[in-house]
Amino acid sequence: MLAFAAGAMFYVVVEELIPEASSGQHSNLSTIGFAIGFVLMMALDVVMG
């Protein structure tokens, strides 16, 4: 449940609080890119850490 809450909070922060993320026609593209980058960095942290 905490992981779901953290994911929901990341979505809200990227989608609503960063104005450049929701500008333009494809506003979900930046949110998806942020999520993929975050997952990639966490995976690299676990593998190399």
Side-chain angles (χ1 to χ4, degrees):
M1 291 175 69
L2 287 174
F4 178 77
M9 194 63 196
F10 274 128
Y11 176 78
V12 168
V13 166
V14 171
E15 190 68 25
E16 298 293 330
L17 297 181
I18 301 175
E20 291 85 13
S22 60
S23 65
Q25 290 179 324
H26 304 288
S27 65
N28 288 337
L29 190 61
S30 61
T31 306
I32 293 169
F34 177 81
I36 290 171
F38 183 78
V39 168
L40 179 65
M41 292 304 292
M42 293 305 290
L44 287 173
D45 183 46
V46 169
V47 170
M48 295 182 170

